Amino acid sequence: MKGQLGELEDAVMTRVWRLDRPVTVREVMVELRRERTIAYTTVMTVMDKVHRKGLLSRELDGRAYRYTAVATRADYAAALMDEAWSHGGRRADTLVAFLGRMTADQRTAFEEALRILGSRAEPPATPP
């Protein structure tokens, strides 16, 4: 994945993630038109751009492409966090600064994530 999504790219990906199946430009355009006026060619250009960023795969189906999300929204967000982490200098300082900015809800989600990861850890080996 290459970089952060712009506003319209994010709107397109939100629809692709929500539909959760291979979609055409026309299907995404119909979804977007529920909230805004947008041209088919604009959606086609944005989806091609997101494809080049590595977030969409595509296969030709007749005369149109069917696009599929390569990663989940959570995977995309995690990749952005990892990218930000790598630019922060000393990682411990970056993590402390990040955690210090969390809201109570974010801290609760963070603690839940740690519990989930802890439950996946393999139990320590018992000595023979």
Side-chain angles (χ1 to χ4, degrees):
M1 286 181 265
K2 300 177 193 167
Q4 191 169 349
L5 296 174
E7 186 271 329
L8 191 50
E9 292 169 333
D10 185 67
V12 164
M13 283 306 299
T14 296
R15 281 17 174 239
V16 173
W17 281 317
R18 190 180 301 148
L19 291 167
D20 195 28
R21 60 177 169 74
V23 294
T24 63
V25 170
R26 185 161 310 283
E27 290 172 311
V28 173
M29 179 198 65
V30 167
E31 291 292 317
L32 287 167
R33 282 189 174 171
R34 294 172 196 234
E35 298 171 14
R36 64 174 80 200
T37 302
I38 192 162
Y40 177 90
T41 54
T42 301
V43 178
M44 181 175 64
T45 299
V46 170
M47 290 181 78
D48 180 64
K49 197 172 167 186
V50 175
H51 166 72
R52 285 185 274 123
K53 285 186 174 187
L55 280 167
L56 290 173
S57 65
R58 67 183 180 193
E59 287 189 30
L60 202 52
D61 182 10
R63 293 179 24 212
Y65 283 111
R66 288 211 172 263
Y67 290 85
T68 305
V70 171
T72 65
R73 186 184 261 310
D75 290 331
Y76 168 69
L80 287 179
M81 292 165 68
D82 189 50
E83 185 179 330
W85 170 294
S86 69
H87 295 293
R90 193 166 158 256
R91 289 184 171 198
D93 292 341
T94 303
L95 188 56
V96 167
F98 177 72
L99 294 172
R101 290 187 170 102
M102 284 184 166
T103 65
D105 287 345
Q106 290 168 327
R107 276 192 300 277
T108 300
F110 180 75
E111 290 164 358
E112 182 180 346
L114 289 175
R115 278 192 299 278
I116 291 168
L117 288 173
S119 69
R120 291 182 185 170
E122 292 184 31
T126 55

